[in-house]
């Protein structure tokens, strides 16, 4: 039996095929493009991320010579980025000019610095779980930014989260 490990980073998606003892049998990668429409913004396309993951896995399997039938499990690791979709599940642009497909606010996006500072100013026990202060690279400041700057998209996301978590 073999296993595939997938790491989705900012610049690429990488995959490795491992045997049961943890030996790397083959690896593959595929590049990702980051869009920077304004200072502090960093966006990607979820469709492009998924295509890169698929390409990296295919390349790793080819390099390993292992049959996909012998793969018993997959593991994923990824950066903390925010993927935004509409009520219909289709990608919702986070781009200031509504460029289609750009539905991911990357971890390194700092458009929500003021929102992080506002959350930190509120204080409270939850901040103890994030090292005492929240970073603009985390999800809550980005969600707060979306709620203010893109209310239609934020409302859809918040409704979706409520239904998933039954809140």
């Amino acid at each position: 039996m073999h296993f595939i490990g997938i790491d989705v980073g900012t610049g690429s998606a990488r995959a490795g095929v491992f045997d049961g003892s943890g030996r790397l049998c083959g690896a593959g990668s595929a590049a990702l493009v980051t869009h920077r429409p304004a200072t502090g913004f960093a966006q990607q396309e979820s469709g492009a991320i998924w295509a890169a993951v698929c390409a990296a896995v295919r390349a790793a399997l080819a390099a390993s010579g292992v049959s996909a039938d012998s793969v018993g499990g997959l593991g994923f690791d990824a950066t903390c980025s925010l993927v935004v979709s509409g009520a219909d599940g289709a990608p919702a642009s986070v781009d200031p000019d509504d460029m289609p497909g750009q539905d991911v606010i990357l971890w390194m996006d700092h458009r929500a610095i003021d929102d992080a500072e506002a959350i930190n100013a509120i204080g409270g026990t939850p901040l103890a779980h994030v090292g005492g202060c929240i970073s603009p690279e985390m999800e809550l400041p980005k969600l707060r930014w979306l709620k203010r700057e893109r209310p239609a998209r934020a409302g859809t996301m918040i409704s979706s989260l409520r239904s998933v978590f039954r809140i």
Side-chain angles (χ1 to χ4, degrees), residues 10-81:
T10 305
S12 66
R14 297 162 297 277
V17 177
F18 300 86
D19 66 18
S21 67
R23 182 181 65 86
L24 177 64
C25 302
S29 68
L32 291 167
V33 174
T34 297
H35 305 278
R36 296 183 172 275
T39 301
F41 284 46
Q43 304 165 182
Q44 287 183 340
E45 302 172 37
S46 62
I49 293 169
W50 184 246
V53 166
C54 293
V57 168
R58 283 192 294 273
L61 281 169
S64 71
V66 169
S67 165
D69 294 335
S70 75
V71 175
L74 298 171
F76 277 87
D77 176 57
T79 58
C80 182
S81 295

Side-chain angles (χ1 to χ4, degrees), residues 100-120:
Q102 294 185 30
D103 58 333
V104 179
I105 300 176
L106 290 179
W107 64 272
M108 64 199 288
D109 184 293
H110 285 180
R111 70 183 77 188
I113 287 177
D114 293 343
D115 299 281
E117 290 171 356
I119 292 168
N120 288 326

